[in-house]
Every structure is written in structure tokens, then in C-alpha cells.
């Protein structure tokens, strides 16, 4: 069981005693200590006292990014929906209502210990095309491949197209099993079973492929969520290549750290991205939704600023258009980031670095001439 618990806030004697009585060392932290960078300063578990506060501490999100493996609990005076939503978005594990009953404290600590034992630490990223063919799978497999090279630790790509997904082709893999097997057997998703379903690719990431058969069960968001939670216990990074037309998949992304909406410079795609981003922002919070433009051409009639104005968010990544290079990567089953030679590979690496929280200079985006009226459909 974890030993050091940091109690952030004004101090709460009863909870302190309850924790000490269970053998914990209680550290009294001021909020600024959430910003401490040194690992020895980090507790095994953090409880933040937010009673009488309408918002979570500003430093909490940075702390979660810096120390994703340290579970965070909140001590609240009431289970306020707005605060609960904020808490869920930054990955708070549990909310304890003051005064905390012994049984509630024990149950919360047991749940945290259970998720610890299963090693729940993986970061999950979802890649979602605003329209078909924009380059989503190209980006997803490239980023997953770069993750393997960036950090030690395992990487899994799940092709969450429940029919006709093609990530296996992009990774030069011949999978025997698929997402269908995983979703039909959510009751037995332990390490050994998952390992049997995933194929190790030559590029580096493991792959859980799209099925080439129908599913024997009705797939709802709960099943997909169970699968995502299960794989995040065994992989450091999980990349999901998801399908915009599957509501169950779109409704199962709570464990996902970032959702990358991939658009291009075509009018219907930009409009689609706008609608998609609005829905995702509302469901998962603006901070978790990122916009990228693939097949980017600086001379296109639809420029960067036009897209940003229509979608209502900044473009975080521009992936240059390079059909020859993209096609060669696809046809050889060697993701683009396996080569260093092209601007497109460079941009995909920068994207992977940002998602993995590794600093690299981001290339400056290029503007274009405005056709805002056409994009919005307003004159
Ligand atoms: N940056 C790029 N520049 C030029 N061509 C690209 C780029 N990225 C991908 N392509 C090409 O576009 C085509 C579609 O790419 P990809 O399969 O990645 O798109 P997708 O959005 O996943 O499509 P689908 O909707 O079918 O899943 C492929 O031929 C690919 O090689
Ligand atoms: Mg695809």
C-alpha cells in the first residue's frame, strides 16, 4: 500500500488522524507544492481539500501531466456536478465527501490500491478524422511508431474501426485476431489474453487490428471503455484510430488524454471538423481536444486562419502534403516516422513529442487567404 499521502489545503485534523491511524505518513502541502518537479518531493497519493472552493487548484492539471502515476483524490463539502466534471477531466480518481466515514475512506483507498497493482499508467490518445481519407491512420500509425522510439515502454495501436479498418496494412502486419475478439470477451481482458490478441509489428508498436468479420455482440460504449481501461494497464502509450461514424466509440473516450481531430483544407471537412470539435469539447472538455490539418498545402484557397475561425480552435499541428512519401510508407508498411528525411515525417515526430510531453520546437504554421463566408455557409 502507498505510504506517503500529501494533504493539500488548510489542514483537516480528522482526516489526518484517520490516515495516520491506517499507517500513512501525512505530508501537509501548500498548493504551490503541486508544482514541485523533483520526484522525491512527490507523495504516493495526493488528497486536495477543495471544500468551499468553486474551482480546482490551477496547478492540478500541470501536476497530473508531470506525475500521471500519482493518484489524486478530492475532499469536497458536497458532490457538486460542475466540480465533479472538472475533476473527471483532469483525471481525479475519487471524491471524498467531508466528513469522511471510515468505510468510505477504506473503500476509496482499496480501489486506488487495486488500480495501482494493475499498473494503470498508460496514456491513451485518440485520432479522429473529420472526414474519410484525410490522413488519420497515416498520422496514428506514425505517432505510435515514434512513441516506441521516444521512450522505453510498450506502445499499442488499436484500430477501432469495427469494420474495414486498415491500420494493419500501414504497419505491414498480418493479424490473426482483432478488436472483435477483445470486445466479445471483455470479461477476460487480462495481460495474457490481450497479448494473444495483439500482434507485434516490425515497425515497433503492438497492434490490435480491425476485424474482418461481424461482431457476435452488440458493441456499446461500456464494452469499448472496458477495453481501453484494460489495455492502459499494460501499455505505456495507447493510440486509438477511431471512426467518426461510430457513436459508441465516440462516447467511450473518458480515459483518453487527448483527442486529435484531423482535418484537411476541403470545405466539407472543415465544416465537419467544426461540428465534431464542438461536440467533443462539450463532452470531454476543450483542453483534451486538439486540431491538426493533414495534407496541408500553404497555397490552398482555404488557409490556416480560415480553418481556425470556423472550427473555433487553434490548429496545433500542420502535417504537410506529400502524397508520394505517404503512399510509399503505406505500400511498404513502414510508417513515415521510421525515416528522418521528409518534412512530413518531421511534423509527425513533433506531434508525437508533444503528445508524449517531450519538448521539441513546433514548426510555425502558415496562413492563407480568407474565404470565411463560404466555409461557414454564411454570406
Ligand atoms: N500528409 C499527407 N500528404 C499526402 N497524402 C497523404 C498524407 N497523409 C496521408 N496521405 C494519403 O492519403 C490517403 C489516405 O490516408 P489515410 O488512410 O491515412 O487516411 P484516413 O483518414 O485514415 O482514411 P480512412 O477514412 O479511409 O480511414 C493514403 O493514400 C495516404 O497515403
Ligand atoms: Mg483510416
Amino acid at each position: 500500500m502507498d505510504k506517503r499521502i500529501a494533504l493539500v489545503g488548510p489542514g483537516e485534523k480528522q482526516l489526518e488522524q484517520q490516515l495516520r491511524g491506517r499507517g500513512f505518513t501525512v505530508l501537509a502541502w501548500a498548493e504551490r507544492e503541486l508544482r514541485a518537479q523533483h520526484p522525491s518531493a512527490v507523495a504516493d497519493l495526493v488528497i486536495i481539500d477543495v471544500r468551499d472552493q468553486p474551482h480546482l487548484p490551477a496547478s492540478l492539471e500541470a501536476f497530473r501531466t508531470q506525475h500521471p502515476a500519482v493518484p489524486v483524490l478530492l475532499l469536497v463539502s458536497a458532490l457538486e456536478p460542475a466540480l465533479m466534471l472538472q475533476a473527471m477531466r483532469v483525471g481525479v480518481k475519487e471524491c471524498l465527501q467531508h466528513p469522511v466515514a471510515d468505510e468510505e475512506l477504506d473503500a476509496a483507498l482499496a480501489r486506488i490500491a487495486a488500480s495501482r497493482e494493475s499498473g494503470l499508467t498508460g496514456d491513451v490518445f485518440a485520432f479522429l478524422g473529420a472526414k474519410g481519407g484525410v490522413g488519420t491512420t497515416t498520422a496514428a500509425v506514425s505517432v505510435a511508431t515514434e512513441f516506441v522510439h521516444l521512450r522505453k515502454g510498450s506502445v499499442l495501436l488499436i484500430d477501432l474501426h469495427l469494420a474495414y479498418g486498415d491500420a494493419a496494412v500501414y504497419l505491414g502486419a498480418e493479424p490473426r485476431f482483432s478488436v472483435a475478439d477483445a470486445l466479445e470477451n471483455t470479461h477476460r481482458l487480462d495481460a495474457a489474453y490481450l497479448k494473444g490478441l495483439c500482434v507485434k509489428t516490425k515497425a515497433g508498436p503492438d497492434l490490435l487490428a480491425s476485424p474482418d468479420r461481424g461482431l457476435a455482440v452488440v458493441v456499446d460504449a461500456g464494452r469499448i471503455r472496458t477495453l481501453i481501461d484494460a489495455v492502459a494497464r499494460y501499455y505505456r502509450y495507447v493510440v486509438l484510430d477511431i471512426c467518426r461514424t461510430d457513436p459508441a466509440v465516440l462516447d467511450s473516450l473518458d480515459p483518453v488524454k487527448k483527442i486529435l481531430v484531423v482535418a484537411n483544407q476541403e470545405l466539407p471537412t472543415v465544416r465537419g471538423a467544426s461540428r465534431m470539435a464542438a461536440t467533443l469539447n462539450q463532452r470531454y472538455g476543450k483542453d483534451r481536444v486538439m486540431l491538426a490539418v493533414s495534407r496541408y498545402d500553404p497555397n490552398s484557397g482555404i488557409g490556416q486562419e480560415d480553418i481556425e475561425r470556423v472550427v473555433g480552435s487553434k490548429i496545433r499541428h500542420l502535417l504537410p502534403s506529400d502524397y508520394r512519401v505517404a503512399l510509399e510508407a503505406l505500400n511498404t508498411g513502414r510508417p513515415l516516422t521510421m525515416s528522418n528525411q521528409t518534412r512530413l515525417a518531421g511534423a509527425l515526430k513533433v506531434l508525437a513529442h508533444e503528445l508524449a510531453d517531450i519538448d521539441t520546437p513546433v514548426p510555425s504554421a502558415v496562413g492563407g487567404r480568407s474565404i470565411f463566408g463560404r466555409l461557414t455557409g454564411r454570406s
Side-chain angles (χ1 to χ4, degrees):
M1 187 30 142
D2 307 318
K3 284 285 164 236
R4 292 165 304 164
I5 298 189
L7 208 47
V8 185
E12 211 291 299
K13 288 284 167 244
Q14 186 198 327
L15 181 59
E16 247 180 85
Q17 277 170 11
Q18 286 171 295
L19 294 169
R20 291 216 169 91
R22 285 162 175 76
F24 294 104
T25 303
V26 180
L27 314 168
W29 276 13
E31 193 201 315
R32 66 174 179 281
E33 283 169 88
L34 288 174
R35 291 187 212 107
Q37 301 286 315
H38 198 275
S40 66
V42 176
D44 302 299
L45 179 72
V46 171
I47 302 179
I48 305 178
D49 186 350
V50 291
R51 285 172 299 156
D52 311 321
Q53 309 229 3
H55 300 293
L56 301 180
S59 44
L60 177 56
E61 192 164 354
F63 179 84
R64 292 277 311 128
T65 308
Q66 202 76 35
H67 308 287
V70 179
V72 175
L73 283 76
L74 294 186
L75 180 64
V76 297
S77 40
L79 298 172
E80 271 289 322
L83 197 68
M84 298 299 102
L85 192 63
Q86 285 179 41
M88 195 186 78
R89 283 176 181 159
V90 290
V92 166
K93 289 269 183 221
E94 300 272 345
C95 290
L96 299 168
Q97 193 168 3
H98 183 267
V100 185
D102 280 324
E103 347 32 289
E104 275 172 30
L105 181 61
D106 288 331
L109 293 172
R111 281 193 293 272
I112 286 178
S115 72
R116 261 288 167 79
E117 276 153 27
S118 59
L120 183 67
T121 55
D123 287 339
V124 185
F125 303 103
F127 284 59
L128 174 62
K131 200 169 160 285
V134 293
T136 310
T137 304
T138 300
V141 298
S142 301
V143 165
T145 302
E146 182 64 6
F147 281 160
V148 175
H149 298 281
L150 274 181
R151 290 236 173 105
K152 288 196 176 69
S154 48
V155 180
L156 174 69
L157 184 112
I158 306 184
D159 190 339
L160 264 178
H161 291 76
L162 300 184
Y164 309 121
D166 46 17
V169 179
Y170 282 77
L171 286 163
E174 302 273 343
R176 288 177 55 213
F177 300 104
S178 74
V179 166
D181 301 284
L183 293 173
E184 285 163 1
N185 295 283
T186 43
H187 55 287
R188 51 184 293 216
L189 291 176
D190 59 13
Y193 185 69
L194 276 169
K195 192 162 180 251
L197 297 185
C198 299
V199 59
K200 177 121 208 74
T201 69
K202 272 184 268 167
D206 285 2
L207 169 72
L208 184 54
S210 169
D212 52 15
R213 63 172 175 88
L215 273 91
V217 292
V218 176
V219 175
D220 56 14
R223 265 180 204 272
I224 300 166
R225 171 81 199 260
T226 304
L227 171 63
I228 298 172
D229 282 338
V231 295
R233 285 185 208 125
Y234 305 112
Y235 286 90
R236 176 67 188 86
Y237 293 110
V238 178
V239 176
L240 309 175
D241 181 4
I242 65 179
C243 179
R244 73 188 192 290
T245 54
D246 189 334
V249 173
L250 296 177
D251 201 28
S252 64
L253 303 178
D254 296 287
V256 171
K257 193 170 176 191
K258 296 278 181 198
I259 303 164
L260 189 83
V261 175
V262 184
N264 65 9
Q265 291 159 291
E266 289 170 16
L267 186 65
T269 314
V270 178
R271 285 192 180 173
S274 167
R275 286 192 294 270
M276 196 176 274
T279 309
L280 294 169
N281 286 345
Q282 195 178 25
R283 172 76 172 79
Y284 297 107
K286 213 170 164 60
D287 293 348
R288 286 210 272 165
V289 182
M290 285 168 67
L291 177 65
V293 172
S294 180
R295 311 182 73 142
Y296 180 70
D297 174 0
N299 300 315
S300 161
I302 296 178
Q304 184 190 344
E305 282 167 19
D306 302 313
I307 298 172
E308 289 178 341
R309 284 166 68 193
V310 175
V311 180
S313 35
K314 286 271 167 210
I315 297 169
R316 295 280 285 273
H317 291 272
L318 292 175
L319 308 173
S321 181
D322 193 337
Y323 186 65
R324 188 187 58 76
V325 165
L327 195 62
E328 191 185 319
L330 160 57
N331 287 340
T332 56
R334 282 176 54 83
L336 284 153
T337 43
M338 290 178 83
S339 123
N340 244 337
Q341 310 303 320
T342 61
R343 282 182 61 226
L344 178 52
L348 287 161
K349 286 182 187 195
V350 171
L351 169 59
H353 290 213
E354 183 186 329
L355 294 177
D357 288 326
I358 292 173
D359 283 342
T360 42
V362 178
S364 62
V366 189
R369 105 188 130 84
S370 173
I371 52 168
F372 184 64
R374 274 204 75 211
L375 287 164
T376 53
R378 284 179 244 132
S379 54

